[in-house]
Amino acid sequence: MSQRDEAARPNRPRLLPLPEEQWEPRIRDLLALAPHDPGGGIPNIFTTLVRHPDLYERFLPFGGQLLGSGRLPGDVRELLILRTACNTGARYEWGRHLPMARAAGVTDADIDRIGEGPEAPGWAELQRHLLRAADELHRDATMSDATWEGLAEHFGDAELIEIVMLVGQYQMVAFFLNATGVELEPGFPCTGFPEGEGEDG
C-alpha cells in the first residue's frame, strides 16, 4: 500500500484561527455568515480561512451550495465527502462530517468500511459506484466509463456534475486543512478514521 507522507504533515497548526480581538468589522460580518456550532462557536476552518477575507467571501457561497442546497441526497453527499477525507488523510474533514453523515442516514456499518474501499463486502451497487468515483477522481482526475455509466443509471446530468464538483471541492478543502494544520474542535472526535488507508490501499 502506498502510504501518505505523514512526515510532511504539520504536527501543530501552521496557521492559527484568527483571534476574535483581531476581527475587524468586515471579518466579523463575514464570520457571522459561517455555520455556527451548537453554543455559538465558529469552526476553526472558517476562522483560519478568513485570514484571506476576499477568498473566504467567495468560498463560502460555493461550499454552502454544495453542502446545503445541492441536488444530491444527503447520504450520497456525505459518503463522497467521507471517502474523500479518507483518500486525503483529512482528519478534520472526517471528524466534522461524521455527525452529518449519520444524520443523513449513513449507517455505522457503512462508516466502518469506508476505509476498505468500494470492493469491501456489504456495499450496495450505487455506493460502490460512488466510492469508485471518489477514488478515480482522487487518483486520476477523471472517471472511468464504467463508473460514469454506473452513476448515470441513478443520476441526471446536473447530479453527475455535482458529484465531480463535490469531490473536487472537498479535495481542495482537505489540501487547505492538511497543509495549514487546522485542529479539530473538542466534541468532534475522529472516530473510525481509517489511518493510513485510502484509494491506493
Side-chain angles (χ1 to χ4, degrees):
M1 175 172 69
S2 172
Q3 297 287 332
R4 294 183 296 267
D5 186 1
E6 296 299 330
R9 295 175 184 276
N11 55 20
R12 57 184 175 78
R14 288 173 171 153
L15 291 176
L16 291 169
L18 189 67
E20 188 168 359
E21 60 269 19
Q22 295 181 28
W23 294 2
E24 299 172 356
R26 183 188 178 203
I27 300 293
R28 195 169 296 278
D29 289 344
L30 289 172
L31 289 174
L33 301 174
H36 287 49
D37 287 333
I42 303 174
N44 289 338
I45 182 175
F46 300 120
T47 51
T48 305
L49 183 58
V50 82
R51 288 180 175 277
H52 190 327
D54 295 337
L55 186 61
Y56 174 96
E57 188 172 20
R58 286 154 182 82
F59 166 86
L60 202 62
F62 181 69
Q65 172 65 33
L66 288 170
L67 188 60
S69 304
R71 298 193 181 197
L72 296 174
D75 59 333
V76 167
R77 180 193 69 232
E78 294 302 324
L79 190 65
L80 287 165
I81 293 171
L82 288 180
R83 185 58 180 170
T84 299
C86 172
N87 284 336
T88 55
R91 294 178 60 84
Y92 187 98
E93 197 164 83
W94 178 276
R96 294 293 310 199
H97 279 271
L98 204 55
M100 295 186 210
R102 289 186 171 122
V106 180
T107 67
D108 286 341
D110 288 344
I111 290 166
D112 288 343
R113 63 174 161 253
I114 284 174
E116 299 175 43
E119 305 312 317
W123 293 120
E125 180 186 22
L126 173 57
Q127 292 173 315
R128 288 188 195 279
H129 289 314
L130 291 165
L131 293 176
R132 287 187 186 118
D135 288 0
E136 291 170 7
L137 288 164
H138 172 71
R139 184 185 62 235
D140 304 322
T142 189
M143 253 191 257
S144 67
D145 286 342
T147 299
W148 181 270
E149 290 162 9
L151 291 172
E153 293 178 4
H154 300 270
F155 299 111
D157 293 350
E159 289 80 13
L160 291 168
I161 291 169
E162 191 166 314
I163 287 169
V164 176
M165 298 297 281
L166 179 77
V167 173
Q169 157 80 351
Y170 280 90
Q171 185 116 336
M172 178 185 70
V173 169
F175 294 164
F176 167 72
L177 294 167
N178 290 343
T180 61
V182 174
E183 291 187 313
L184 190 59
E185 295 83 3
F188 289 87
C190 219
T191 309
F193 183 69
E195 301 284 357
E197 299 185 30
E199 55 82 25
D200 51 1

